[in-house]
Amino acid sequence: MNLFVRLILKVVSSPKINMQEDYIWVRKAQQLFSKKPKKGYRILDKKIYSEDQSHDIPVRIFYPKEPLNEDVLVFFHGGGWVIGDIDTYTSACINMADLTGRVVYSVDYRLAPEFPYPSGLEDCYQVAETLMTQLELSGLLDASQITLIGDSAGGNLVAAVSLLLRDKGKQIPTKQILLYPVTYWNHSKSSPFKSIRTNGYEYGLTSKKVQEYMEMYEPNKANRKNPYIAPLMAKDLTHQPKTLIITAEFDPLRDEGEMYGIALKEAGNEVVIQRIGGAVHGFITYPKIAAPVTATYQAINEFLN
């Protein structure tokens, strides 16, 4: 990791940043720096109604330059359930479509603290369940062609949606991809995971920020152990999709992501775990030529194909 990158990471790791107080301006800053798609790039904006018809859930569809497969990726973005949206992840989703050769459906779920748990999860569940049961919306022949994918809090939502689909007796996706996911409820110094302490202070995402995000997503501390918030707390992890878990070497969430993969494997599921060396949290939004992105899409394409 070069000196300039380390300097930038130190700045954004400042303990003076309090997400509970500063999330509004962080959202505005993200919007300011969001790149619009290049002219001629094929995207469509659609909406899926919530289960109770109280609101609609925006979904942006990205078409690859060169379609290589008819399968679909349904993407839940990261941002601690608090920041991030369709626009801030547009470049990442363009890369995802182009580098996998698959159509990507990006879900704009409701954010905390305005809409705390379970709002975001309900939106993601509704989109996944709708696309899997109403195949005419995507033109797919079978629900097995849908893979759920998410990064960080989005990876958490993927895991939670798969658990929820199983628990409600619905069809589960054949595959899921969790990129450096949140899987545990405690990110303080008392966390059982070493990476919270070794990587939690100067690599951009800090353990303090993760804890602040968690407190906004679920203000009730006791409920944070709910397996739909902390999938590692699930007593039963059987009958889950074939899973790829990607972690980053210098990520505070590294160990809990890998432990979730181990737990899934011990429950009888097919799991691939890959750690990206030299990488920090959030790298899926980097340019597609960045080494961690290249390594990740190599792993993703091997897993999908």
Side-chain angles (χ1 to χ4, degrees):
M1 197 182 303
N2 68 43
L3 196 59
F4 178 71
V5 172
R6 288 297 295 266
L7 188 64
I8 294 294
L9 289 171
K10 274 216 150 150
V11 170
V12 297
S13 303
S14 170
K16 291 179 182 177
I17 298 173
N18 183 320
M19 291 311 302
Q20 292 172 330
E21 297 172 359
D22 302 330
Y23 72 92
I24 294 288
W25 73 256
V26 173
R27 284 180 187 169
K28 287 178 179 175
Q30 280 190 327
Q31 285 288 346
L32 191 65
F33 290 107
S34 295
K35 287 184 180 177
K36 297 289 181 280
K38 289 177 183 174
K39 194 175 180 183
Y41 191 86
R42 292 182 65 207
I43 63 171
L44 277 177
D45 282 320
K46 300 284 187 183
K47 291 176 180 176
I48 288 176
Y49 284 115
S50 63
E51 189 174 17
D52 63 3
Q53 306 280 301
S54 65
H55 64 284
D56 47 38
I57 308 156
V59 178
R60 182 167 290 171
I61 308 170
F62 297 83
Y63 296 91
K65 281 180 187 169
E66 294 179 33
L68 301 176
N69 196 291
E70 292 181 354
D71 293 358
V72 159
L73 300 174
V74 177
F75 177 70
F76 307 147
H77 69 77
W81 311 279
V82 171
I83 58 176
D85 59 21
I86 279 182
D87 292 327
T88 59
Y89 269 80
T90 282
S91 291
C93 288
I94 288 172
N95 290 344
M96 190 177 294
D98 287 346
L99 294 174
T100 62
R102 286 165 164 78
V103 175
V104 175
Y105 286 67
S106 179
V107 181
D108 212 12
Y109 58 88
R110 289 171 293 170
L111 299 176
E114 295 89 345
F115 298 98
Y117 173 85
S119 301
L121 175 58
E122 287 173 348
D123 288 353
C124 292
Y125 174 88
Q126 178 70 2
V127 172
E129 204 263 342
T130 300
L131 289 174
M132 290 181 71
T133 55
Q134 298 181 35
L135 295 174
E136 65 276 9
L137 294 176
S138 59
L140 296 175
L141 298 175
D142 194 273
S144 64
Q145 293 176 273
I146 293 173
T147 296
L148 301 185
I149 176 171
D151 78 311
S152 192
N156 169 279
L157 290 165
V158 167
V161 165
S162 292
L163 288 170
L164 199 50
L165 284 165
R166 180 203 64 187
D167 294 346
K168 285 177 175 278
K170 307 282 188 177
Q171 181 174 354
I172 62 164
T174 306
K175 294 175 182 173
Q176 63 178 0
I177 300 171
L178 316 181
L179 306 171
Y180 39 82
V182 186
T183 67
Y184 197 62
W185 60 275
N186 178 11
H187 300 93
S188 69
K189 289 179 181 176
S190 62
S191 164
F193 299 111
K194 183 182 174 185
S195 61
I196 287 291
R197 293 177 288 282
T198 56
N199 297 336
Y201 302 97
E202 52 183 32
Y203 293 105
L205 179 70
T206 62
S207 52
K208 173 178 173 285
K209 281 184 194 167
V210 183
Q211 199 63 21
E212 288 165 356
Y213 285 134
M214 185 70 81
E215 288 166 10
M216 285 189 274
Y217 184 51
E218 176 48 89
N220 182 338
K221 185 177 180 180
N223 198 40
R224 288 178 212 145
K225 296 180 184 179
N226 179 330
Y228 301 135
I229 295 173
L232 252 179
M233 300 299 288
K235 290 184 172 68
D236 178 11
L237 285 173
T238 60
H239 305 297
Q240 286 300 280
K242 182 179 178 183
T243 302
L244 171 63
I245 293 181
I246 300 279
T247 63
E249 181 182 0
F250 297 113
D251 184 356
L253 301 179
R254 181 194 69 204
D255 294 351
E256 67 189 72
E258 292 173 3
M259 185 55 71
Y260 189 60
I262 291 167
L264 284 171
K265 199 177 284 190
E266 288 175 348
N269 302 289
E270 197 173 339
V271 183
V272 177
I273 304 168
Q274 183 159 335
R275 182 186 296 185
I276 305 298
V280 298
H281 188 87
F283 65 77
I284 204 66
T285 59
Y286 291 6
K288 62 183 175 184
I289 57 169
V293 177
T294 303
T296 294
Y297 278 105
Q298 185 177 342
I300 285 173
N301 285 322
E302 285 176 12
F303 175 76
L304 290 173
N305 297 327

